[in-house]
Amino acid sequence: MRTQNYSRKRQAIYELLLSTDTHPSAEWIYNSLKPQYPDLSLGTVYRNLKLLEGNGAVRSVAVVDGCERYDAKMTRHSHFVCKKCGKITDVFFTETMPDLTEKVYIDAAKDVEEYNLIFYGICTEC
Amino acid sequence: MRTQNYSRKRQAIYELLLSTDTHPSAEWIYNSLKPQYPDLSLGTVYRNLKLLEGNGAVRSVAVVDGCERYDAKMTRHSHFVCKKCGKITDVFFTETMPDLTEKVYIDAAKDVEEYNLIFYGICTEC
DNA sequence: TTCGTTGCAAACATTTTGCAGTTTC
DNA sequence: GAAACTGCAAAATGTTTGCAACGAA
């Protein structure tokens, strides 16, 4: 990977993701930071999300209505997606979630690195 | 839902999906059927996939490289996605997969209808 | 004849990218 | 000063849609 410099905006994007549990899209992040960073551009948000994802600082948890949604909470947990309003909420199992990657043997896989478990339904507000 | 007529092309799309385990994208389906249906259009493939998905005849199992990928095998199972080549393979647990929707209690959920479990890694051919 | 289905192409929405200027180190 | 970062706008990409023609019942 390419070496990184410090970037005020990348920091802001990352901290915003850390501080929220809404699992935002690029656009939500853009709109949230725009007041404080009037010269922020959407391209920068996209670029930094990809970069942070590459770093392992952040991960994409789902694509809802065609929009990639991100999370900076990297402890193992899964998500519930409301089919109606698109809200994403965290789902924790008792204690921590099992490491399923160690529990499956997949013929076609040389290496199973991670997994993503998503529940779908209707949320209490819909 | 809107009443349906019999449609030769919809049938062909559905049967192609049933006969393959490649979890194809709309474009792959389009290219596969084009020789036999020279006047097939991509829009029709998209329309019918959405329609079949609405019927519950087919489901979207993952989005790989920005492309929705479909499966007509509706028995409960999960998938392995190769991060390099994008190939999707079926993953079956011993016997059948547990119905996790009955095993979780999600505060934010009024109704948990389904779940989707995807493993990521590198396949044996990459 | 009615209404679902389709081809076609234009429209759409999200994401990526090229470039010139700016910031970081 | 070199290399990373950014704004901007254009381009790319996958998907949806309007419409007139077509097909099924």
Side-chain angles (χ1 to χ4, degrees), chain B residues 3-50:
Chain B
T3 44
Q4 287 178 226
N5 278 343
Y6 170 82
S7 151
R8 212 156 147 42
K9 284 166 184 168
R10 183 180 311 131
Q11 183 81 15
I13 291 168
Y14 179 60
E15 280 173 4
L16 178 58
L17 266 166
L18 270 181
S19 73
T20 185
D21 59 353
T22 58
H23 310 85
S25 63
E27 191 149 7
W28 188 95
I29 294 172
Y30 171 74
N31 289 325
S32 301
L33 294 177
K34 194 67 176 171
Q36 197 180 348
Y37 298 86
D39 66 341
L40 180 66
S41 93
L42 196 49
T44 296
V45 176
Y46 277 108
R47 268 188 286 230
N48 279 303
L49 284 172
K50 277 271 173 285

Side-chain angles (χ1 to χ4, degrees), chain B residues 3-126:
Chain B
T3 44
Q4 287 178 226
N5 278 343
Y6 170 82
S7 151
R8 212 156 147 42
K9 284 166 184 168
R10 183 180 311 131
Q11 183 81 15
I13 291 168
Y14 179 60
E15 280 173 4
L16 178 58
L17 266 166
L18 270 181
S19 73
T20 185
D21 59 353
T22 58
H23 310 85
S25 63
E27 191 149 7
W28 188 95
I29 294 172
Y30 171 74
N31 289 325
S32 301
L33 294 177
K34 194 67 176 171
Q36 197 180 348
Y37 298 86
D39 66 341
L40 180 66
S41 93
L42 196 49
T44 296
V45 176
Y46 277 108
R47 268 188 286 230
N48 279 303
L49 284 172
K50 277 271 173 285
L51 212 153
L52 290 165
E53 195 180 8
N55 283 351
V58 145
R59 69 170 174 137
S60 160
V61 292
V63 176
V64 178
D65 295 328
C67 288
E68 200 97 41
R69 304 279 290 265
Y70 291 89
D71 196 346
K73 191 188 299 132
M74 298 300 280
T75 57
R76 193 156 45 231
H77 64 284
S78 92
H79 297 96
F80 171 75
V81 176
C82 177
K83 284 177 169 181
K84 212 168 188 175
C85 69
K87 194 174 68 176
I88 302 180
T89 50
D90 289 322
V91 175
F92 298 98
F93 284 74
T94 55
E95 304 285 326
T96 50
M97 256 174 95
D99 184 355
L100 294 178
T101 60
E102 290 179 355
K103 295 199 174 166
V104 287
Y105 173 74
I106 302 175
D107 272 357
K110 186 189 299 170
D111 185 27
V112 182
E113 295 169 10
E114 49 192 305
Y115 71 94
N116 192 10
L117 173 57
I118 307 177
F119 294 89
Y120 293 92
I122 305 297
C123 79
T124 48
E125 289 165 23
C126 280

